[in-house]
Amino acid sequence: MCCVANVDGEYYAIGNVCTHEGGPLAEGVLEGYEVECPWHQSKFDVRTGEVTSPPASEYL
Ligand code: FES
């Protein structure tokens, strides 16, 4: 399963499972290019899968 984000008409697909404790990123909030995990608020860049805010520390 993946998380698909629509940012101004551009679509990005990243893994749905947060690398912290497995939260469902598809249920998180998207703000700009960042999706926030609904469980402990880690943030990931939907373009790269990079962590932009902890507690997660590993790429998607
Ligand atoms: S499971 Fe996503 S931040 Fe903890």
Side-chain angles (χ1 to χ4, degrees):
M1 192 164 159
C2 66
C3 169
V4 176
N6 176 351
V7 182
D8 296 330
E10 297 286 332
Y11 289 84
Y12 301 90
I14 56 174
N16 186 45
V17 180
C18 179
T19 57
H20 178 228
E21 290 183 355
L25 292 178
E27 296 174 20
V29 174
L30 181 67
E31 198 173 307
Y33 290 104
E34 286 183 328
V35 64
E36 182 182 83
C37 178
W39 285 6
H40 315 101
Q41 289 71 52
S42 288
K43 293 181 182 178
F44 298 88
D45 189 314
V46 298
R47 298 168 293 185
T48 61
E50 184 180 359
V51 178
T52 56
S53 183
S57 59
E58 294 178 29
Y59 274 64
L60 287 168

